[in-house]
PDB file of all heavy atoms in Angstrom:
ATOM      1  N   GLN A 114       4.726  -9.403  -1.568  1.00 93.00           N
ATOM      2  CA  GLN A 114       6.147  -9.270  -1.473  1.00 93.00           C
ATOM      3  C   GLN A 114       6.511  -9.209   0.067  1.00 93.00           C
ATOM      4  O   GLN A 114       7.477  -9.983   0.480  1.00 93.00           O
ATOM      5  CB  GLN A 114       6.706  -8.040  -2.142  1.00 93.00           C
ATOM      6  CG  GLN A 114       8.203  -7.998  -2.218  1.00 93.00           C
ATOM      7  CD  GLN A 114       8.679  -6.821  -3.137  1.00 93.00           C
ATOM      8  OE1 GLN A 114       7.897  -6.175  -3.735  1.00 93.00           O
ATOM      9  NE2 GLN A 114       9.943  -6.611  -3.137  1.00 93.00           N
ATOM     10  N   LEU A 115       5.798  -8.542   0.858  1.00 92.00           N
ATOM     11  CA  LEU A 115       6.132  -8.398   2.274  1.00 92.00           C
ATOM     12  C   LEU A 115       5.813  -9.708   3.042  1.00 92.00           C
ATOM     13  O   LEU A 115       6.465 -10.044   3.976  1.00 92.00           O
ATOM     14  CB  LEU A 115       5.380  -7.279   2.923  1.00 92.00           C
ATOM     15  CG  LEU A 115       5.801  -5.847   2.486  1.00 92.00           C
ATOM     16  CD1 LEU A 115       4.806  -4.789   2.924  1.00 92.00           C
ATOM     17  CD2 LEU A 115       7.187  -5.571   3.125  1.00 92.00           C
ATOM     18  N   ALA A 116       4.842 -10.434   2.499  1.00 91.00           N
ATOM     19  CA  ALA A 116       4.479 -11.732   3.161  1.00 91.00           C
ATOM     20  C   ALA A 116       5.590 -12.751   2.988  1.00 91.00           C
ATOM     21  O   ALA A 116       5.785 -13.664   3.814  1.00 91.00           O
ATOM     22  CB  ALA A 116       3.190 -12.274   2.605  1.00 91.00           C
ATOM     23  N   SER A 117       6.295 -12.658   1.885  1.00 90.00           N
ATOM     24  CA  SER A 117       7.350 -13.658   1.600  1.00 90.00           C
ATOM     25  C   SER A 117       8.724 -13.256   2.198  1.00 90.00           C
ATOM     26  O   SER A 117       9.535 -14.117   2.528  1.00 90.00           O
ATOM     27  CB  SER A 117       7.489 -13.894   0.082  1.00 90.00           C
ATOM     28  OG  SER A 117       7.982 -12.779  -0.536  1.00 90.00           O
ATOM     29  N   SER A 118       8.931 -11.990   2.361  1.00 87.00           N
ATOM     30  CA  SER A 118      10.226 -11.565   2.958  1.00 87.00           C
ATOM     31  C   SER A 118      10.127 -10.074   3.329  1.00 87.00           C
ATOM     32  O   SER A 118       9.325  -9.311   2.757  1.00 87.00           O
ATOM     33  CB  SER A 118      11.351 -11.710   1.965  1.00 87.00           C
ATOM     34  OG  SER A 118      11.185 -10.876   0.884  1.00 87.00           O
ATOM     35  N   GLY A 119      10.945  -9.701   4.320  1.00 84.00           N
ATOM     36  CA  GLY A 119      10.970  -8.272   4.653  1.00 84.00           C
ATOM     37  C   GLY A 119      11.753  -7.511   3.564  1.00 84.00           C
ATOM     38  O   GLY A 119      12.607  -8.102   2.946  1.00 84.00           O
ATOM     39  N   CYS A 120      11.358  -6.375   3.319  1.00 91.00           N
ATOM     40  CA  CYS A 120      11.991  -5.594   2.357  1.00 91.00           C
ATOM     41  C   CYS A 120      11.927  -4.097   2.654  1.00 91.00           C
ATOM     42  O   CYS A 120      11.078  -3.653   3.436  1.00 91.00           O
ATOM     43  CB  CYS A 120      11.563  -5.857   0.899  1.00 91.00           C
ATOM     44  SG  CYS A 120       9.802  -5.863   0.709  1.00 91.00           S
ATOM     45  N   THR A 121      12.703  -3.303   1.998  1.00 92.00           N
ATOM     46  CA  THR A 121      12.729  -1.854   2.177  1.00 92.00           C
ATOM     47  C   THR A 121      11.757  -1.220   1.242  1.00 92.00           C
ATOM     48  O   THR A 121      11.189  -1.795   0.339  1.00 92.00           O
ATOM     49  CB  THR A 121      14.143  -1.263   1.874  1.00 92.00           C
ATOM     50  OG1 THR A 121      14.416  -1.411   0.524  1.00 92.00           O
ATOM     51  CG2 THR A 121      15.203  -1.968   2.718  1.00 92.00           C
ATOM     52  N   ILE A 122      11.498   0.118   1.514  1.00 93.00           N
ATOM     53  CA  ILE A 122      10.623   0.857   0.628  1.00 93.00           C
ATOM     54  C   ILE A 122      11.209   0.919  -0.771  1.00 93.00           C
ATOM     55  O   ILE A 122      10.436   0.845  -1.718  1.00 93.00           O
ATOM     56  CB  ILE A 122      10.431   2.286   1.205  1.00 93.00           C
ATOM     57  CG1 ILE A 122       9.629   2.262   2.536  1.00 93.00           C
ATOM     58  CG2 ILE A 122       9.675   3.183   0.233  1.00 93.00           C
ATOM     59  CD1 ILE A 122       8.222   1.818   2.444  1.00 93.00           C
ATOM     60  N   ALA A 123      12.498   1.066  -0.843  1.00 92.00           N
ATOM     61  CA  ALA A 123      13.172   1.053  -2.103  1.00 92.00           C
ATOM     62  C   ALA A 123      12.883  -0.200  -2.950  1.00 92.00           C
ATOM     63  O   ALA A 123      12.593  -0.202  -4.133  1.00 92.00           O
ATOM     64  CB  ALA A 123      14.637   1.294  -2.055  1.00 92.00           C
ATOM     65  N   GLU A 124      12.932  -1.312  -2.197  1.00 92.00           N
ATOM     66  CA  GLU A 124      12.692  -2.621  -2.901  1.00 92.00           C
ATOM     67  C   GLU A 124      11.240  -2.762  -3.271  1.00 92.00           C
ATOM     68  O   GLU A 124      10.887  -3.327  -4.354  1.00 92.00           O
ATOM     69  CB  GLU A 124      13.080  -3.767  -1.947  1.00 92.00           C
ATOM     70  CG  GLU A 124      14.570  -3.847  -1.739  1.00 92.00           C
ATOM     71  CD  GLU A 124      14.978  -4.803  -0.625  1.00 92.00           C
ATOM     72  OE1 GLU A 124      14.180  -4.986   0.289  1.00 92.00           O
ATOM     73  OE2 GLU A 124      16.156  -5.274  -0.697  1.00 92.00           O
ATOM     74  N   LEU A 125      10.341  -2.181  -2.517  1.00 91.00           N
ATOM     75  CA  LEU A 125       8.886  -2.291  -2.824  1.00 91.00           C
ATOM     76  C   LEU A 125       8.638  -1.388  -4.039  1.00 91.00           C
ATOM     77  O   LEU A 125       7.742  -1.685  -4.863  1.00 91.00           O
ATOM     78  CB  LEU A 125       8.083  -1.771  -1.638  1.00 91.00           C
ATOM     79  CG  LEU A 125       7.995  -2.801  -0.498  1.00 91.00           C
ATOM     80  CD1 LEU A 125       7.213  -2.130   0.660  1.00 91.00           C
ATOM     81  CD2 LEU A 125       7.248  -4.031  -0.914  1.00 91.00           C
ATOM     82  N   SER A 126       9.311  -0.293  -4.154  1.00 91.00           N
ATOM     83  CA  SER A 126       8.986   0.685  -5.220  1.00 91.00           C
ATOM     84  C   SER A 126       9.579   0.320  -6.601  1.00 91.00           C
ATOM     85  O   SER A 126       9.056   0.655  -7.575  1.00 91.00           O
ATOM     86  CB  SER A 126       9.515   2.043  -4.843  1.00 91.00           C
ATOM     87  OG  SER A 126      10.859   2.131  -4.850  1.00 91.00           O
ATOM     88  N   GLN A 127      10.646  -0.445  -6.562  1.00 90.00           N
ATOM     89  CA  GLN A 127      11.385  -0.770  -7.773  1.00 90.00           C
ATOM     90  C   GLN A 127      10.567  -1.359  -8.953  1.00 90.00           C
ATOM     91  O   GLN A 127      10.724  -0.973 -10.074  1.00 90.00           O
ATOM     92  CB  GLN A 127      12.587  -1.657  -7.406  1.00 90.00           C
ATOM     93  CG  GLN A 127      13.525  -1.839  -8.573  1.00 90.00           C
ATOM     94  CD  GLN A 127      14.755  -2.633  -8.094  1.00 90.00           C
ATOM     95  OE1 GLN A 127      14.717  -3.407  -7.164  1.00 90.00           O
ATOM     96  NE2 GLN A 127      15.854  -2.468  -8.809  1.00 90.00           N
ATOM     97  N   PRO A 128       9.744  -2.437  -8.686  1.00 89.00           N
ATOM     98  CA  PRO A 128       9.038  -3.018  -9.793  1.00 89.00           C
ATOM     99  C   PRO A 128       7.993  -2.103 -10.449  1.00 89.00           C
ATOM    100  O   PRO A 128       7.562  -2.357 -11.532  1.00 89.00           O
ATOM    101  CB  PRO A 128       8.321  -4.194  -9.171  1.00 89.00           C
ATOM    102  CG  PRO A 128       8.917  -4.457  -7.831  1.00 89.00           C
ATOM    103  CD  PRO A 128       9.553  -3.155  -7.432  1.00 89.00           C
ATOM    104  N   TYR A 129       7.627  -0.995  -9.789  1.00 88.00           N
ATOM    105  CA  TYR A 129       6.562  -0.140 -10.271  1.00 88.00           C
ATOM    106  C   TYR A 129       7.169   1.199 -10.773  1.00 88.00           C
ATOM    107  O   TYR A 129       6.294   2.024 -11.148  1.00 88.00           O
ATOM    108  CB  TYR A 129       5.526   0.116  -9.191  1.00 88.00           C
ATOM    109  CG  TYR A 129       5.093  -1.149  -8.605  1.00 88.00           C
ATOM    110  CD1 TYR A 129       5.598  -1.669  -7.449  1.00 88.00           C
ATOM    111  CD2 TYR A 129       4.207  -1.967  -9.341  1.00 88.00           C
ATOM    112  CE1 TYR A 129       5.174  -2.949  -6.967  1.00 88.00           C
ATOM    113  CE2 TYR A 129       3.835  -3.224  -8.868  1.00 88.00           C
ATOM    114  CZ  TYR A 129       4.273  -3.700  -7.705  1.00 88.00           C
ATOM    115  OH  TYR A 129       3.959  -4.895  -7.240  1.00 88.00           O
ATOM    116  N   ASP A 130       8.422   1.354 -10.691  1.00 86.00           N
ATOM    117  CA  ASP A 130       9.001   2.587 -11.210  1.00 86.00           C
ATOM    118  C   ASP A 130       8.352   3.818 -10.549  1.00 86.00           C
ATOM    119  O   ASP A 130       7.925   4.795 -11.225  1.00 86.00           O
ATOM    120  CB  ASP A 130       9.005   2.728 -12.711  1.00 86.00           C
ATOM    121  CG  ASP A 130       9.929   3.846 -13.220  1.00 86.00           C
ATOM    122  OD1 ASP A 130      10.896   4.118 -12.604  1.00 86.00           O
ATOM    123  OD2 ASP A 130       9.491   4.483 -14.265  1.00 86.00           O
ATOM    124  N   MET A 131       8.127   3.725  -9.243  1.00 91.00           N
ATOM    125  CA  MET A 131       7.541   4.810  -8.457  1.00 91.00           C
ATOM    126  C   MET A 131       8.551   5.415  -7.510  1.00 91.00           C
ATOM    127  O   MET A 131       9.467   4.761  -7.176  1.00 91.00           O
ATOM    128  CB  MET A 131       6.220   4.378  -7.798  1.00 91.00           C
ATOM    129  CG  MET A 131       6.441   3.392  -6.592  1.00 91.00           C
ATOM    130  SD  MET A 131       4.987   3.000  -5.645  1.00 91.00           S
ATOM    131  CE  MET A 131       3.974   2.134  -6.791  1.00 91.00           C
ATOM    132  N   SER A 132       8.305   6.596  -7.124  1.00 94.00           N
ATOM    133  CA  SER A 132       9.186   7.267  -6.174  1.00 94.00           C
ATOM    134  C   SER A 132       9.099   6.573  -4.776  1.00 94.00           C
ATOM    135  O   SER A 132       8.072   5.906  -4.509  1.00 94.00           O
ATOM    136  CB  SER A 132       8.814   8.717  -6.044  1.00 94.00           C
ATOM    137  OG  SER A 132       7.648   8.908  -5.387  1.00 94.00           O
ATOM    138  N   LEU A 133      10.072   6.869  -3.971  1.00 94.00           N
ATOM    139  CA  LEU A 133      10.097   6.319  -2.604  1.00 94.00           C
ATOM    140  C   LEU A 133       8.939   6.912  -1.851  1.00 94.00           C
ATOM    141  O   LEU A 133       8.315   6.290  -1.015  1.00 94.00           O
ATOM    142  CB  LEU A 133      11.418   6.650  -1.943  1.00 94.00           C
ATOM    143  CG  LEU A 133      12.617   5.930  -2.482  1.00 94.00           C
ATOM    144  CD1 LEU A 133      13.885   6.329  -1.645  1.00 94.00           C
ATOM    145  CD2 LEU A 133      12.495   4.433  -2.474  1.00 94.00           C
ATOM    146  N   ALA A 134       8.634   8.221  -2.126  1.00 95.00           N
ATOM    147  CA  ALA A 134       7.497   8.888  -1.452  1.00 95.00           C
ATOM    148  C   ALA A 134       6.179   8.199  -1.771  1.00 95.00           C
ATOM    149  O   ALA A 134       5.286   8.005  -0.929  1.00 95.00           O
ATOM    150  CB  ALA A 134       7.446  10.344  -1.793  1.00 95.00           C
ATOM    151  N   ALA A 135       5.991   7.862  -3.070  1.00 95.00           N
ATOM    152  CA  ALA A 135       4.738   7.190  -3.433  1.00 95.00           C
ATOM    153  C   ALA A 135       4.659   5.847  -2.818  1.00 95.00           C
ATOM    154  O   ALA A 135       3.566   5.402  -2.287  1.00 95.00           O
ATOM    155  CB  ALA A 135       4.735   7.067  -5.002  1.00 95.00           C
ATOM    156  N   ALA A 136       5.736   5.073  -2.846  1.00 95.00           N
ATOM    157  CA  ALA A 136       5.719   3.741  -2.206  1.00 95.00           C
ATOM    158  C   ALA A 136       5.446   3.860  -0.711  1.00 95.00           C
ATOM    159  O   ALA A 136       4.697   3.058  -0.155  1.00 95.00           O
ATOM    160  CB  ALA A 136       7.069   3.053  -2.393  1.00 95.00           C
ATOM    161  N   SER A 137       6.012   4.851  -0.086  1.00 96.00           N
ATOM    162  CA  SER A 137       5.752   5.096   1.336  1.00 96.00           C
ATOM    163  C   SER A 137       4.326   5.348   1.597  1.00 96.00           C
ATOM    164  O   SER A 137       3.711   4.904   2.596  1.00 96.00           O
ATOM    165  CB  SER A 137       6.656   6.227   1.854  1.00 96.00           C
ATOM    166  OG  SER A 137       6.495   6.389   3.213  1.00 96.00           O
TER     167      SER A 137
END
Side-chain angles (χ1 to χ4, degrees):
Q114 190 172 353
L115 289 167
S117 65
S118 66
C120 50
T121 66
I122 294 293
E124 292 168 333
L125 287 173
S126 68
Q127 190 175 25
Y129 307 101
D130 193 32
M131 68 175 66
S132 69
L133 295 179
S137 182

